[in-house]
Amino acid sequence: MAAIFILIMPPVKIVIRAGVQAKREILPMTAYVVFTRERTRNASDMEAYVPRARASFADHEFERLAAYGKCETLEGAPIEGAVIFAFPSMEDARAWYDSPEYTEARKHRHLGADYRAFITEGV
């Protein structure tokens, strides 16, 4: 059986200036923070979480790509909902997640529901 290798390259910016040799520059990949809510345990803690979580984004560059829209589980245990945020880089995503504002907010999320959360790089 032949081996198959897939090489994934990060996005590359090529800068070309008149009279200057082209320069390749590796750009940071977009980072996606994904939350899946598996089970709500305490609605009042979730109600306390929402305004705090919203406020935690104030000083961070991000884009909300999905938030508790129609969801269909294809594999594994069903989920109640999902949220996806895009950040310019893994470092930016971690800066938001580890910020004092979100650290305080997520205490309520942990008390209010069972979630899975992860950050992944993408294009």
Side-chain angles (χ1 to χ4, degrees):
M1 175 179 281
I4 298 174
F5 295 94
I6 299 174
L7 179 61
I8 299 174
M9 299 292 295
V12 174
K13 176 181 176 182
I14 300 177
V15 179
I16 302 173
R17 293 193 180 101
V20 178
Q21 186 175 11
K23 177 178 96 174
R24 294 173 61 150
E25 179 181 326
I26 296 177
L27 300 176
M29 294 182 75
T30 300
Y32 299 94
V33 176
V34 180
F35 293 96
T36 60
R37 186 175 64 211
E38 297 174 352
R39 180 176 63 106
T40 301
R41 288 182 279 111
N42 186 323
S44 62
D45 275 308
M46 292 307 297
E47 289 172 13
Y49 165 72
V50 171
R52 289 170 173 84
R54 284 186 182 143
S56 73
F57 288 104
D59 296 327
H60 300 275
E61 182 181 343
F62 78 101
E63 183 179 356
R64 184 177 65 194
L65 302 178
Y68 298 108
K70 184 178 177 182
C71 188
E72 181 180 343
T73 301
L74 299 175
E75 295 183 20
I79 62 172
E80 291 181 356
V83 178
I84 304 171
F85 298 109
F87 288 85
S89 69
M90 291 287 278
E91 293 77 18
D92 292 314
R94 286 306 302 229
W96 165 74
Y97 186 81
D98 294 332
S99 69
E101 296 81 9
Y102 191 67
T103 298
E104 183 60 33
R106 73 175 180 242
K107 291 176 185 176
H108 294 281
R109 182 173 55 81
H110 291 161
L111 292 170
D114 296 330
Y115 272 83
R116 295 196 65 160
F118 62 91
I119 303 172
T120 185
E121 284 185 322
V123 292

